[in-house]
Amino acid sequence: MNPSQITKKSLVKWGGESVYVQAEQLVRRGAVLKAEMKDDWISGVIARESASEIYTRLRLIDPDRIESRCPCFTNQHSGQVCPHVVALGIALMLRHADPLREQKYQEEQRRARRLEQLDESAYLQRGPRGTPARLGLTLAPSWADDFWKGRIALS
C-alpha cells in the first residue's frame, strides 16, 4: 500500500468521526513528530502534553481497516482505535497531497538526525530555571518629556 490510498473517508472508518476530529487536532497543533510508511506498516511518534512521547504503529489491512499496535490506554485496555494512529494517517495523507509539505518534513527529519549525533557537552548547558541576571537602567531626568517626543535615552 502507499499513502495515496489513505483518504479522509478511510480514516473516519478506522475510528469514527469523533476519533478523526481528535486526531485532526493533534495534527494541527504539531503533535505528530514523525510518521513513516513501510510496506503495510505505519509508525510514528506523537508528542503528548502530560508525558513523554508515544511511539505508535499500525498495520494497514486494507485502506478501510487497520490493526492498531498503539501502546496507549484506549487501544490496550478498550481495544478501540485511538486518535494517535489516525493522526499518523492524517499526517501521511496531508504530506502525500502536498509535495512541499513532504519536502519540509524530510528536511526536519534530516535536521533531527543531525542534532542527535551532536556532542551536547560542546554547548552551553542551562539549568531548568535559567541563569539569574541583573539589569540596571538609568533614565535621564527629562525622560517624561522625551516620552511625549517619541524618544527616551537609556543607559
Side-chain angles (χ1 to χ4, degrees):
M1 262 191 218
N2 60 39
S4 65
Q5 293 175 298
I6 300 172
T7 63
K8 180 179 178 180
K9 184 179 177 182
S10 63
L11 291 168
V12 169
K13 285 184 180 180
W14 290 5
E17 188 68 41
S18 64
V19 171
Y20 180 85
V21 170
Q22 292 172 8
E24 203 171 36
Q25 290 171 355
L26 287 172
V27 173
R28 271 198 211 115
R29 74 167 203 255
V32 179
L33 304 178
K34 188 175 185 177
E36 302 290 333
M37 184 171 188
K38 185 174 181 180
D39 299 324
D40 291 343
W41 288 94
I42 297 175
S43 59
V45 181
I46 307 287
R48 294 192 291 185
E49 293 175 7
S50 61
S52 62
E53 301 161 341
I54 184 169
Y55 293 82
T56 186
R57 65 187 193 139
L58 64 120
R59 185 172 67 90
L60 287 168
I61 297 169
D62 61 51
D64 296 337
R65 291 183 331 141
I66 63 167
E67 176 186 336
S68 178
R69 298 279 177 93
C70 189
C72 74
F73 180 84
T74 302
N75 183 56
Q76 293 296 313
H77 297 285
S78 303
Q80 298 174 337
V81 173
C82 63
H84 307 119
V85 296
V86 177
L88 293 180
I90 292 172
L92 285 172
M93 177 184 70
L94 292 174
R95 281 192 357 232
H96 181 75
D98 183 1
L100 293 177
R101 187 185 299 242
E102 176 66 23
Q103 179 183 358
K104 182 180 175 188
Y105 173 77
Q106 294 300 334
E107 290 169 2
E108 288 172 355
Q109 292 303 309
R110 276 193 296 275
R111 183 175 186 275
R113 284 191 298 273
R114 243 187 356 262
L115 289 175
E116 282 179 354
Q117 296 173 355
L118 291 177
D119 180 17
E120 291 184 27
S121 64
Y123 292 94
L124 179 65
Q125 299 295 317
R126 301 201 185 271
R129 294 181 170 255
T131 305
R134 193 179 281 195
L135 178 65
L137 295 175
T138 305
L139 298 172
S142 61
W143 75 268
D145 294 330
D146 294 341
F147 173 78
W148 293 110
K149 294 175 186 173
R151 264 192 182 174
I152 300 174
L154 295 175
S155 59

